[in-house]
């Protein structure tokens, strides 16, 4: 009997983990969970603290519980500082492999953007970095930003909206803006279905690569056309700033400082997401950027 | 002490669940797991059978274990028949809402393709359907097939490769093919970086919508250029066949049978993936299409 109960307990814990992981950010009522499992609320509270420790130790986020009669629990995706650092150091090594240099000073990144193991951790870093800004929807422009947008979407549990370069008939009535590409100095277009973003939505802007920042600024403008709000911007890789940027406060994972196509070398470092505030949050080792509170003490990857 | 041990056991089980879910398809050696957790192999075997039951009951796949000294365990993603049926019935209801009808007889699907909860189950269905064909890489063509490709990628743990409509300078040397769009009767182009697919790779072709099938046939042709092999094809929604298809054996999730733009009605049913073999597999309630074995008894959603 004792053994039976032990197995039941273990199975319940694993099932609870699956349930929470499946819907990041969703609050499950403690009372509902107790009924589902036919267990006492006190046992479930104990289960949830065990799971919180397991999640924190695995470095994939935490479980937040709210107390009281209407108490509940939700999975807050994130990543431990240690795991994020290890991941980005491996990524920097990957990105700087000389065979990635393409004619014209471009860097081949498509294979990295195709790998689910990489995207999973990218998503967790985005979730951790923007945990405090309460994202409703993730916006990107076709094509290469899309994998990053879905990485964020899966981690945050929030939908993706994709702006198109051309007006596609299958999208219904469109909102179209023209914007200046800051790096190529040419006029470009992005369009989005009128029904794609709700008024007042809190939008996270993402892209694969940041050069002059024209695309991010274009997305900001597009978001304003919907009377929605851009609450943060994230890119996978940030290139050399060149003649300056038209946007600030874009979080990047990797910063390419120099591409020398002749010498076939790329120099890169961890991106701006690691030089921001990395406070000791209520949930321990996870990092969190609180842009809205204006805190930005400088930390680097090795510093405090 | 008994309580302590019980808690440790529960925590180990949850941690093991995270580890297996994180890398679908990867085999973890039992010996290695035993060392990681400081537990006996026999306890771990017991843990794994508890987890297998939890996964099967949750309808998200199974855990396969291989016996012997070199024994190991891996998470095989999938979906229970019940869960797949419920999901697709909800999807059919969604797809047939009259407000989705667009001018020209198109259907607005972008919001569905943006939702991570939908894509998670789509991925599991693809994983279950193509479990036996041993996919190495998932191929799609920009733009709307990309979400479906990543859904499959996350579930299968295999990378995505995206063919482009235009030749992009950042991709290096390209393989480009021209193909005939079967529905619009126009010549179209798709390009892929020479380094994107390895010779001999087993490629799953995916897209959002199937009309005449020209795009899928184009992908098949592209794959042949790489001396790789198309091992299956999947689309989110299949449209009315119209004047016939240039491809066969494309698995679809939803089949739109008729769009009447004047009456503002759409008629749809569960797609071809549900009319294929649905054998009782070694892992119980999960379905699996074994095209390679040539088995295709007709089953529908309600039948055996």
């Amino acid at each position: 009997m004792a053994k039976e109960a032990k197995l039941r307990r273990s199975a319940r814990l694993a099932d609870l983990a699956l349930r929470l992981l499946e819907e990041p950010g969703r609050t499950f009522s403690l009372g509902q969970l107790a009924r589902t499992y036919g267990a006492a609320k006190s046992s479930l509270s104990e289960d949830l603290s065990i799971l919180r420790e397991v999640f924190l130790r695995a470095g994939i986020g935490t479980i937040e519980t709210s107390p009281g009669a209407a108490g509940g629990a939700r999975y807050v995706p994130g990543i431990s500082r240690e795991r994020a650092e290890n991941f980005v150091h491996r990524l920097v090594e990957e990105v700087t492999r000389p065979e990635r240099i393409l004619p014209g000073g471009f860097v081949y990144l498509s294979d990295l953007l195709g790998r689910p193991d990489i995207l999973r951790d990218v998503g967790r870093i985005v979730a951790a970095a923007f945990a405090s800004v309460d994202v409703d929807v993730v916006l990107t422009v076709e094509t290469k930003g899309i994998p990053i947008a879905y990485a964020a979407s899966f981690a945050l549990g929030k939908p993706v909206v994709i702006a198109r370069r051309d007006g596609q008939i299958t999208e219904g009535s469109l909102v179209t803006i023209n914007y200046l590409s800051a790096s190529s100095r040419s006029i470009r277009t992005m369009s989005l279905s009128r029904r794609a973003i709700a008024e007042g939505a809190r939008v996270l802007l993402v892209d694969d690569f940041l050069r002059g920042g024209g695309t991010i600024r274009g997305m900001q403008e597009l978001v304003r056309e919907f009377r929605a709000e851009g609450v943060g911007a994230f890119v996978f890789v940030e290139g050399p700033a060149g003649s300056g940027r038209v946007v600030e406060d874009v979080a990047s994972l990797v910063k390419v400082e120099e591409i020398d196509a002749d010498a076939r070398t790329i120099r890169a470092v961890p991106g701006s997401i690691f030089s921001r505030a990395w406070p000791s949050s209520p949930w321990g080792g996870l990092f969190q950027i609180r842009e809205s509170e204006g805190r930005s003490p400088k930390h680097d990857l090795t510093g405090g």
Side-chain angles (χ1 to χ4, degrees), chain A:
Chain A
M1 272 306 280
K3 177 149 188 187
E4 261 309 294
K6 197 164 99 179
L7 293 184
R8 265 207 314 279
R9 174 73 178 275
S10 296
R12 183 174 76 213
L13 210 76
D15 192 78
L16 193 54
L18 296 185
R19 217 176 271 260
L20 291 162
L21 283 171
E22 180 88 2
E23 297 184 70
R26 178 179 158 191
T27 300
F28 292 86
S29 119
L30 209 57
Q32 184 56 56
L33 289 175
R35 280 189 295 281
T36 303
Y37 292 113
K41 278 195 194 181
S42 58
S43 309
L44 269 172
S45 289
E46 207 181 44
D47 287 357
L48 289 165
S49 29
I50 298 172
L51 276 187
R52 183 187 304 111
E53 271 203 31
V54 170
F55 280 34
L56 283 170
R57 215 176 310 139
I60 61 160
T62 190
I63 292 165
E64 279 182 4
T65 49
S66 41
R74 66 187 185 119
Y75 167 46
V76 180
I79 191 164
S80 68
R81 179 172 170 158
E82 189 193 349
R83 188 170 172 149
E85 285 183 4
N86 288 339
F87 171 68
V88 168
H89 281 297
R90 284 201 314 277
L91 208 53
V92 165
E93 270 175 38
E94 252 313 324
V95 166
T96 51
R97 282 164 54 189
E99 59 268 36
R100 294 198 174 274
I101 300 177
L102 296 171
F106 289 93
V107 185
Y108 185 79
L109 297 173
S110 297
D111 59 328
L112 303 178
L113 294 172
R115 280 174 49 186
D117 57 330
I118 288 181
L119 294 175
R120 219 180 283 263
D121 274 341
V122 169
R124 287 185 181 130
I125 291 177
V126 174
F130 297 98
S132 62
V133 298
D134 210 6
V135 172
D136 292 322
V137 56
V138 181
L139 172 66
T140 191
V141 187
E142 61 181 344
T143 297
K144 291 194 199 163
I146 301 176
I148 302 297
Y150 278 96
S153 164
F154 273 87
L156 292 165
K158 302 292 177 185
V160 169
V161 157
I162 302 169
R164 306 291 297 258
R165 297 278 181 201
D166 48 7
Q168 289 287 305
I169 187 174
T170 56
E171 294 287 321
S173 77
L174 298 178
V175 177
T176 297
I177 63 147
N178 295 311
Y179 67 99
L180 186 69
S181 164
S183 49
S184 71
R185 313 253 163 222
S186 60
I187 300 287
R188 307 190 71 175
T189 296
M190 61 174 87
S191 302
L192 196 53
S193 170
R194 173 53 74 194
R195 47 177 126 178
I197 298 181
E199 207 174 304
R202 298 173 60 80
V203 186
L204 179 65
L205 320 174
V206 315
D207 207 356
D208 64 321
F209 204 92
L210 178 72
R211 285 181 198 82
T215 305
I216 295 282
R217 197 169 62 175
M219 282 195 257
Q220 277 173 330
E221 205 177 309
L222 190 63
V223 163
R224 275 194 294 269
E225 286 292 320
F226 283 84
R227 297 169 186 275
E229 190 189 350
V231 293
F234 174 83
V235 296
F236 184 53
V237 175
E238 173 183 355
S243 53
R245 289 265 160 72
V246 298
V247 285
E248 283 179 12
D249 284 330
V250 177
S252 67
L253 211 52
V254 172
K255 182 169 163 53
V256 170
E257 295 190 317
E258 199 187 8
I259 304 170
D260 187 333
D262 298 328
R264 297 198 65 73
T265 54
I266 308 179
R267 203 154 44 77
V269 294
S272 67
I273 210 165
F274 293 99
S275 59
R276 290 297 188 86
W278 199 328
S280 59
S281 80
W283 9 297
L286 309 183
F287 73 90
Q288 197 171 9
I289 290 172
R290 295 188 183 274
E291 275 186 296
S292 52
E293 295 175 18
R295 296 201 282 155
S296 64
K298 291 284 174 194
H299 290 288
D300 65 20
L301 265 178
T302 49

